[in-house]
Amino acid sequence: MRTCYTAATFTDDLKAKQAARYREFFELFRKCKSAITGVTFRGIADDNTWLSELSSGRKDFPLLFDVDHNPKPAYDAVVDF
């Protein structure tokens, strides 16, 4: 069964893991910058994501800003270079 996170279960540890993963992706993107013209996110903040449109109602908190539009650790991982 796949875990769907809620505000209560999206812990600081999960936020740190998410930030590390975003950092890995963006390090790769920067290494390949001659072949990449942009990166697109499907949303701005976790309060309204493409996942919100699913009938499950799950959010999974995938974006760089939290539900209050504050930057998450993932944001810092992307812009820190």
Side-chain angles (χ1 to χ4, degrees):
M1 182 174 143
R2 188 176 186 298
T3 301
C4 295
Y5 299 105
T6 66
T9 62
F10 192 65
T11 63
D12 288 342
D13 182 53
L14 288 170
K15 290 175 189 174
K17 287 179 182 179
Q18 180 187 55
R21 191 66 171 144
Y22 265 113
R23 183 178 307 283
E24 291 171 356
F25 278 118
F26 275 79
E27 285 174 355
L28 176 64
F29 296 159
R30 288 183 186 101
K31 286 179 186 175
C32 300
K33 65 184 176 184
S34 65
I36 297 174
T37 60
V39 176
T40 301
F41 289 88
R42 291 186 173 243
I44 302 292
D46 290 336
D47 63 331
N48 185 21
T49 75
W50 67 273
L51 293 168
S52 304
E53 304 301 319
L54 300 176
S55 60
S56 68
R58 77 177 216 219
K59 290 196 182 284
D60 286 347
F61 307 92
L63 297 169
L64 303 180
F65 295 88
D66 66 18
V67 296
D68 296 319
H69 294 225
N70 296 310
K72 296 180 349 192
Y75 171 84
D76 294 325
V78 166
V79 299
D80 181 28
F81 63 97

